[in-house]
Amino acid sequence: MNDMSAPPYKVVGTRPVRPDGVDKVTGKAVFGPDFAASGMLHGAVLRSPHPHARIRAIDTSKAAALPGVRAVVTGADFPTLESLTMALGESSGDVLDIARNCMALDKALYEGHAVAAVAATSTLIAREALQLIAVDYEVLPHVIGIEEAMAADAPVLHDTLFTKGLDATPDKPSNVATRFVMANGDVESALAGAAAVASGRFTTAPVHQGYIEPHACVASVNADGQTQIWASSQGAFMIRSLTATILGMPISDIRVTPLEIGGGFGGKTTVYLEPVAVLLSRKCGLPVRLVMTRDEVFRASGPAPGSVVDLRIGADKDGKLVAADIEFRNSAGAFPGSSVHATAMCSLACYRIANFRVTGWDVVSNMPSSAAYRAPGAPPVVFAVESALDEIAMQLGLDPIDLRLRNAVRPGDPGPMGMPHGPVALVECLEAAKAHPHWTAPLAPRHGRGVAAGFWPNYGGQSTATVSVAEDGTITVVTGSPDIGGSRASMAMMAAEVLGLPYEAVRCIVADTASIGFSMVTGGSRTTFATGKAVVEASEAVVATLRARAAAIWGIEDDAVTWQGGAAQAAGQEPLTIKAIAAKAGQSAGGTIAAEATVNPLDYAAGLAVHICDTEVDPETRQVRVARYTAVQDVGRAIHPSYVEGQMQGGAVQGIGWALNEGYVHDAGGRVANAGFLDYRMPVASDLPMIDTVMIEVPNPAHPFGVKGVGEAPIVPPLGAVANAVSRAAGVRLRDLPMSPDRVHAAIAAKG
Amino acid sequence: MTTATYHAPASLSEALGLLAAHPGAQVLAGGTDLIVQVRAGRAAPSAFIDIKTIAGLTGVRRSGEGFAIGAATPCTALLKDAALCAAWPGVVEAANLIGSVQVRNRATMGGNLCNASPAADSVPALIAAGATCLIAGPQGEREVAVTDLPQGPGRVALQPGELIVELRLPARPMGGGDAYLRGIPRSEMDIAVAGAGVALVLGADGLCTAARVALGAVAPTALLVPEAGAALVGTRIDDAALTRMAAAAQAACKPIDDKRGTAVYRIHMAGVLARRAALIARDRAENNA
């Protein structure tokens, strides 16, 4: 947006080329599977063919005897751990569960669960060795679906899992890990008095984040215990702390070097391979590489939970929402932790509703352990809520955007957890959507138009940055935040803005865990906000030093020196450029000019998005075509508008895939039937129209440039926007995702 | 470790000799199915006999009034043969729906047939067109209708030591036209949920004199549905005839529910696609009258 009131920034808000771009387009970039160490061995992981089985015994002797095999590990090689919970960024995980997910001990809990691993002189030998490992399985009955897993007679995955959050602690273990309830007011009375009520059951399938780069790492352990790991992930410090905790090592013995990441979307915020590679390397004393195949990525790394949502939402005759009753169940996969709190928190966060009751259930079953995926938990429940709002708008004859405007939260309203909302800009987004030509464009026959809104709280968290001035006055910015969406560019831009330098004079890298202070994972849409804040603080400290050096050279007070255009300025003095000051740093008692900043900000601001979607439904094949798509979002301030638009478009496209064709399919044996990009149907380019973007900039006053975080909000609305468009085009409400052609056909046929 | 050997024979007789010498061998053409299967552990041949290096097994040539397509001819090569595109556009289009452009630059007509996927796109189009294949083996050569080759998923009626040399298409009849359509949830890069190939002939009076309808992905093998073709013969391919044809096509379906779609939807789509393909074939036939 051309906001004339925006401050006159020179760099922020421009669209320079990303510093990692040349490496990526020339193929030089070193991604996870590309890294090689001298003398490196190749590992392979044996995975359970059964979705649920007790492991009676594992005989690795034949594999160990195969020429070329140098190390074999099983779950018995992992230290026994007390179950302890530690902070993992936006979500928390039980470290014992993560260890057991890396390698099964007594039970395989899903098809693809790792049960042993081998390191050998070649990948072929390693794979051959896997076939020589004899695992004595006692195959157990399995359960995949959420409701089946909740049934009283369901096979129980964990004998130690007793439902938390019930009024009374249950006396039997079950597959229900947690019940979480959030409530206010009198829901039943308000619903009884409502003029319009939408109700029903909505379901979504487990989906995969679909990153192109598989999980990969190289680990090298020395005889003294010092360990190096090279891996691509959303957080090198996350790998370091989880690996150390799982293996009972001092954190300082591990150095993790981040490699270029080929997509994560939340799915690379935990470990799968690293502890296994460390154990293999420890046994043989050589570096060991582990790389998942695509098949392994689908069968063994984190899908986002599937869900079953029942809801009732009521409004008065004017469209004012009076009550909502939501009960959702998320499929956590093999271990608890399906973001029920975030699901509950995001379910109604866009709207003022006096009476609500939101009940969430975290349910385990024999699927891969679920992992974070962009706005974890929010999209499925918001699909249900936004579908219900579409029904209410139809019942009351209201424009769907007007209905949402009538109920939209404003700054200061009570937020989902009771705390007041910050600078939320939902009203601005809805008004921009309403004013967009898309909203009023005529609809062709067989087309339908849907709209939906979405909320994501965003996050702050711990970040460290250093800014140092080279001898020639150019700048190096170092962070510990892996760059998954162009953050090196935006960090360099923010530093350049503070230092008054051109973008090209500032270079930004992501350092290893020994070279920068702790930084949480790149997740929760926190990096440009929190790490950016650290970069700005460090840059400001560098500017203060530069002013002091100039003041010393001139023999005047620091306060008499200002910093403008990359140079110190004072009355009656020729400006001293950063280059000139840097050249004299060696003659100053202070020496090198550099600063480090550490932050842990809590004043992050939520992201709001409103998407409009037009779909055409073929009257015979029932195939859905997305004809037009517009994504509106409050982005706070776009540091690099192209990368912000890219986040909005990427979120929309992943959401469209989730809505239309993506989803795990299991066969009757509980095995994944579509573990590959051929049958796990992510959208291809020709499936999509151009995703139009509208950036609304309502700055976050707590960030020097107004940043809010933009990566996750845009995946929250698309499921509802697409479903509402398809439902209006098909003339029947689509309640189950994905809306594959056979599902749409069945829904239309059922309506008759 | 067992390691497969790779052979690139220069002649058909050398290839047949290698096949005889290596009982566990598999013929390698484009490799777009076979290599994927080997990497996934679903196939473990003792030897790969690469037939792309054999003169005559790659390319399209005239064969009398008709066409011969070498078994190792990549799908995209068909597009470069203007006469073939004019005579059998449905076959050429079907072959060029498979995978991506990169895949089709490798994937071959013989490979698509021998992989014996029920969903192979080129096969229903070839069956509708009345194609045959020339098979060479230890006992010499034989010619078999394409419709008789697939025996079930992954199984073809080739004897040990045999390979497909070429696919043969007749000359397009006067007033003939063909078409192939498939249904996929995405717009490309997908496997048919159902497919339908139609080839028909219109007489000078505009009445259909012959019609062949073949279906893919609705049974263990691609199906020739004579009843569907018969429903068009003697008609002007009008709505009533199309409805009878679609019903006959649907009646022949024996699909399964799987990751790619439900049986109910596949049967529905067989009718929709056969009708749409017949209309395209009729338009083409009218232009060829």
Side-chain angles (χ1 to χ4, degrees), chain A residues 442-536:
Chain A
L443 270 175
R446 300 191 298 275
H447 284 60
R449 179 167 296 150
V451 66
F455 166 95
W456 181 250
N458 292 328
Y459 197 60
Q462 291 166 265
S463 285
T464 309
T466 65
V467 174
S468 47
V469 183
E471 303 91 297
D472 64 352
T474 57
I475 304 294
T476 302
V477 175
V478 179
T479 78
S481 298
D483 178 355
I484 65 174
S487 61
R488 274 168 293 193
S490 48
M491 297 304 152
M493 292 171 75
M494 286 186 272
E497 190 71 54
V498 173
L499 290 158
L501 294 173
Y503 168 74
E504 293 75 15
V506 182
R507 296 301 187 194
C508 180
I509 68 134
V510 183
D512 67 83
T513 56
S515 306
I516 187 76
F518 179 81
S519 299
M520 283 174 51
V521 292
T522 296
S525 301
R526 65 170 219 89
T527 298
T528 310
F529 170 72
T531 308
K533 228 172 168 174
V535 168
V536 169

Side-chain angles (χ1 to χ4, degrees), chain A residues 128 620 623 679 686-687, chain B residues 1 184 187-188 260 265 268:
Chain A
E128 190 179 355
E620 292 178 332
Q623 189 149 358
D679 288 311
S686 54
D687 291 331
Chain B
M1 284 186 64
I184 51 171
S187 51
E188 59 177 320
R260 295 184 179 134
Y265 180 67
H268 170 76

Side-chain angles (χ1 to χ4, degrees), chain A residues 191-550:
Chain A
L191 280 174
V197 175
S199 63
R201 167 164 288 199
F202 295 84
T203 68
T204 65
V207 294
H208 198 274
Q209 295 84 349
Y211 31 82
I212 302 300
E213 177 203 40
H215 298 269
C217 70
V218 173
S220 180
V221 182
N222 288 347
D224 64 358
Q226 290 195 73
T227 296
Q228 289 207 69
I229 298 171
W230 297 264
S232 93
S233 77
Q234 290 174 244
F237 290 92
M238 172 277 299
I239 291 179
R240 186 178 71 160
S241 59
L242 282 176
T243 304
T245 310
I246 287 169
L247 299 180
M249 297 168 68
I251 285 178
S252 58
D253 270 3
I254 302 179
R255 176 181 176 191
V256 180
T257 301
L259 302 173
E260 203 63 64
I261 181 168
F265 311 109
K268 289 178 183 163
T269 57
T270 188
V271 292
Y272 299 98
L273 301 175
E274 289 82 0
V276 179
V278 168
L279 286 177
L280 287 167
S281 177
R282 187 190 281 167
K283 281 198 170 183
C284 63
L286 291 168
V288 175
R289 173 155 77 189
L290 284 174
V291 182
M292 285 195 192
T293 62
R294 180 70 54 204
D295 188 84
E296 288 178 292
V297 169
F298 274 105
R299 288 184 210 279
S301 76
S307 69
V308 176
V309 184
D310 290 310
L311 59 65
R312 293 178 296 156
I313 298 183
D316 70 16
K317 63 179 178 15
D318 300 321
K320 182 171 176 288
L321 299 176
V322 295
D325 183 21
I326 300 176
E327 183 166 24
F328 66 87
R329 307 139 192 95
N330 288 350
S331 59
F335 297 97
S338 61
S339 308
V340 280
H341 294 78
T343 306
M345 187 174 155
C346 292
S347 59
L348 297 167
C350 283
Y351 305 109
R352 294 169 160 172
I353 304 181
N355 307 288
F356 60 84
R357 179 172 56 223
V358 181
T359 307
W361 301 89
D362 184 37
V363 183
V364 299
S365 69
N366 296 113
M367 288 196 295
S369 183
S370 67
Y373 179 21
R374 278 183 114 150
V381 75
V382 169
F383 150 63
V385 168
E386 294 292 319
S387 295
L389 292 195
D390 200 50
E391 289 190 356
I392 288 174
M394 289 169 117
Q395 286 179 32
L396 295 175
L398 288 172
D399 176 286
I401 293 184
D402 286 343
L403 172 71
R404 287 167 173 82
L405 271 170
R406 202 157 293 178
N407 296 284
V409 288
R410 270 97 170 152
D413 283 351
M417 305 308 268
M419 301 282 286
H421 271 296
V424 289
L426 178 58
V427 170
E428 289 86 340
C429 290
L430 286 165
E431 284 174 346
K434 196 175 174 186
H436 193 281
H438 184 172
W439 187 243
T440 45
L443 270 175
R446 300 191 298 275
H447 284 60
R449 179 167 296 150
V451 66
F455 166 95
W456 181 250
N458 292 328
Y459 197 60
Q462 291 166 265
S463 285
T464 309
T466 65
V467 174
S468 47
V469 183
E471 303 91 297
D472 64 352
T474 57
I475 304 294
T476 302
V477 175
V478 179
T479 78
S481 298
D483 178 355
I484 65 174
S487 61
R488 274 168 293 193
S490 48
M491 297 304 152
M493 292 171 75
M494 286 186 272
E497 190 71 54
V498 173
L499 290 158
L501 294 173
Y503 168 74
E504 293 75 15
V506 182
R507 296 301 187 194
C508 180
I509 68 134
V510 183
D512 67 83
T513 56
S515 306
I516 187 76
F518 179 81
S519 299
M520 283 174 51
V521 292
T522 296
S525 301
R526 65 170 219 89
T527 298
T528 310
F529 170 72
T531 308
K533 228 172 168 174
V535 168
V536 169
E537 285 185 17
S539 300
E540 286 170 343
V542 164
V543 167
T545 304
L546 289 164
R547 286 171 50 221
R549 297 288 171 88

Side-chain angles (χ1 to χ4, degrees), chain B residues 17-40:
Chain B
L18 286 162
L19 274 175
H22 295 85
Q26 277 199 266
V27 171
L28 172 71
T32 54
D33 288 309
L34 181 58
I35 299 297
V36 174
Q37 289 162 8
V38 169
R39 288 174 64 117

Side-chain angles (χ1 to χ4, degrees), chain B residues 113-136:
Chain B
L113 182 55
C114 289
N115 186 53
S117 162
D121 287 307
S122 71
V123 178
L126 287 167
I127 292 173
T132 61
C133 50
L134 179 68
I135 295 168

Side-chain angles (χ1 to χ4, degrees), chain A residues 124-125 128 618 620-621 623 661 665 673-674 677-682 684 686-687 741-742 745, chain B residues 1-2 184-191 193 259-262 264-265 268-269 272-273 275-276:
Chain A
L124 282 176
I125 294 173
E128 190 179 355
D618 186 295
E620 292 178 332
T621 67
Q623 189 149 358
N661 283 307
V665 178
N674 58 341
F677 282 139
L678 182 60
D679 288 311
Y680 182 86
R681 292 179 167 118
M682 292 171 70
V684 296
S686 54
D687 291 331
D742 50 359
H745 174 66
Chain B
M1 284 186 64
T2 52
I184 51 171
R186 290 188 288 206
S187 51
E188 59 177 320
M189 301 288 293
D190 218 329
I191 303 283
V193 173
K259 60 194 174 187
R260 295 184 179 134
T262 60
V264 168
Y265 180 67
H268 170 76
M269 283 296 282
V272 170
L273 295 169
R275 172 186 278 265
R276 289 182 178 184

Side-chain angles (χ1 to χ4, degrees), chain B:
Chain B
M1 284 186 64
T2 52
T3 308
T5 53
Y6 169 83
H7 308 270
S11 68
L12 184 57
S13 59
E14 191 186 339
L16 293 173
L18 286 162
L19 274 175
H22 295 85
Q26 277 199 266
V27 171
L28 172 71
T32 54
D33 288 309
L34 181 58
I35 299 297
V36 174
Q37 289 162 8
V38 169
R39 288 174 64 117
R42 296 198 301 273
S46 65
F48 294 94
I49 315 295
D50 189 342
I51 60 167
K52 289 191 292 295
T53 47
I54 301 173
L57 262 64
T58 300
V60 181
R61 60 183 175 82
R62 297 292 90 74
S63 173
E65 296 291 298
F67 300 87
I69 303 169
T73 307
C75 297
T76 47
L78 305 188
L79 295 166
K80 299 192 182 98
D81 191 300
L84 179 67
C85 290
W88 297 106
V91 171
V92 176
E93 287 166 4
N96 284 282
L97 290 171
I98 298 164
S100 63
V101 172
Q102 292 93 326
V103 168
R104 294 192 291 271
N105 282 338
R106 299 292 293 178
T108 64
M109 297 299 284
N112 199 225
L113 182 55
C114 289
N115 186 53
S117 162
D121 287 307
S122 71
V123 178
L126 287 167
I127 292 173
T132 61
C133 50
L134 179 68
I135 295 168
Q139 314 300 322
E141 292 186 340
R142 61 191 178 107
E143 189 170 352
V144 174
V146 167
T147 190
D148 292 331
L149 204 72
Q151 299 294 301
R155 291 189 294 117
V156 286
L158 285 180
Q159 299 303 313
E162 285 188 328
L163 59 78
I164 294 180
V165 177
E166 65 189 25
L167 295 155
R168 292 175 171 178
L169 282 164
R172 186 194 71 214
M174 180 66 77
D178 79 327
Y180 172 81
L181 293 174
R182 67 171 183 181
I184 51 171
R186 290 188 288 206
S187 51
E188 59 177 320
M189 301 288 293
D190 218 329
I191 303 283
V193 173
V198 176
L200 52 82
V201 181
L202 298 182
D205 54 1
L207 292 175
C208 178
T209 57
R212 287 166 66 90
V213 176
L215 303 174
V218 292
T221 65
L223 293 177
L224 177 67
V225 189
E227 301 79 6
L232 298 177
V233 174
T235 77
R236 295 185 185 279
I237 325 278
D238 51 28
D239 200 54
L242 287 166
T243 300
R244 285 197 302 278
M245 182 277 298
Q250 290 176 318
C253 295
K254 295 183 284 284
I256 55 169
D257 288 327
D258 75 358
K259 60 194 174 187
R260 295 184 179 134
T262 60
V264 168
Y265 180 67
R266 288 188 149 118
I267 293 170
H268 170 76
M269 283 296 282
V272 170
L273 295 169
R275 172 186 278 265
R276 289 182 178 184
L279 286 170
I280 296 169
R282 183 188 71 182
D283 289 348
R284 287 174 173 166
E286 284 170 352
N287 290 329
N288 291 332

Side-chain angles (χ1 to χ4, degrees), chain A residues 66-295:
Chain A
L66 185 72
V69 171
R70 300 293 171 81
V72 184
V73 303
T74 67
D77 292 297
F78 281 71
T80 306
L81 292 174
E82 297 298 318
S83 182
L84 60 109
T85 301
M86 64 181 294
L88 267 181
E90 66 199 72
S91 56
S92 67
D94 185 288
V95 172
L96 189 65
D97 288 346
I98 296 172
R100 291 289 168 267
N101 194 42
C102 287
M103 192 152 287
L105 183 61
D106 50 352
K107 251 181 149 188
L109 293 165
Y110 55 94
E111 182 223 8
H113 198 167
V115 295
V118 168
T121 50
S122 78
T123 304
L124 282 176
I125 294 173
R127 293 207 178 127
E128 190 179 355
L130 295 186
Q131 296 175 22
L132 299 175
I133 296 175
V135 184
D136 180 8
Y137 291 109
E138 176 192 348
V139 177
L140 302 171
H142 67 270
V143 62
I144 301 290
I146 298 175
E147 290 174 282
E148 292 84 345
M150 293 178 84
D153 60 349
V156 171
L157 272 72
H158 305 280
D159 295 339
T160 52
L161 188 65
F162 295 84
T163 311
K164 291 177 190 159
L166 297 181
D167 301 331
T169 306
D171 54 6
K172 283 195 311 187
S174 74
N175 295 323
V176 181
T178 303
R179 184 186 70 157
F180 176 72
V181 183
M182 215 172 75
N184 194 52
D186 184 346
V187 171
E188 295 305 330
S189 304
L191 280 174
V197 175
S199 63
R201 167 164 288 199
F202 295 84
T203 68
T204 65
V207 294
H208 198 274
Q209 295 84 349
Y211 31 82
I212 302 300
E213 177 203 40
H215 298 269
C217 70
V218 173
S220 180
V221 182
N222 288 347
D224 64 358
Q226 290 195 73
T227 296
Q228 289 207 69
I229 298 171
W230 297 264
S232 93
S233 77
Q234 290 174 244
F237 290 92
M238 172 277 299
I239 291 179
R240 186 178 71 160
S241 59
L242 282 176
T243 304
T245 310
I246 287 169
L247 299 180
M249 297 168 68
I251 285 178
S252 58
D253 270 3
I254 302 179
R255 176 181 176 191
V256 180
T257 301
L259 302 173
E260 203 63 64
I261 181 168
F265 311 109
K268 289 178 183 163
T269 57
T270 188
V271 292
Y272 299 98
L273 301 175
E274 289 82 0
V276 179
V278 168
L279 286 177
L280 287 167
S281 177
R282 187 190 281 167
K283 281 198 170 183
C284 63
L286 291 168
V288 175
R289 173 155 77 189
L290 284 174
V291 182
M292 285 195 192
T293 62
R294 180 70 54 204
D295 188 84

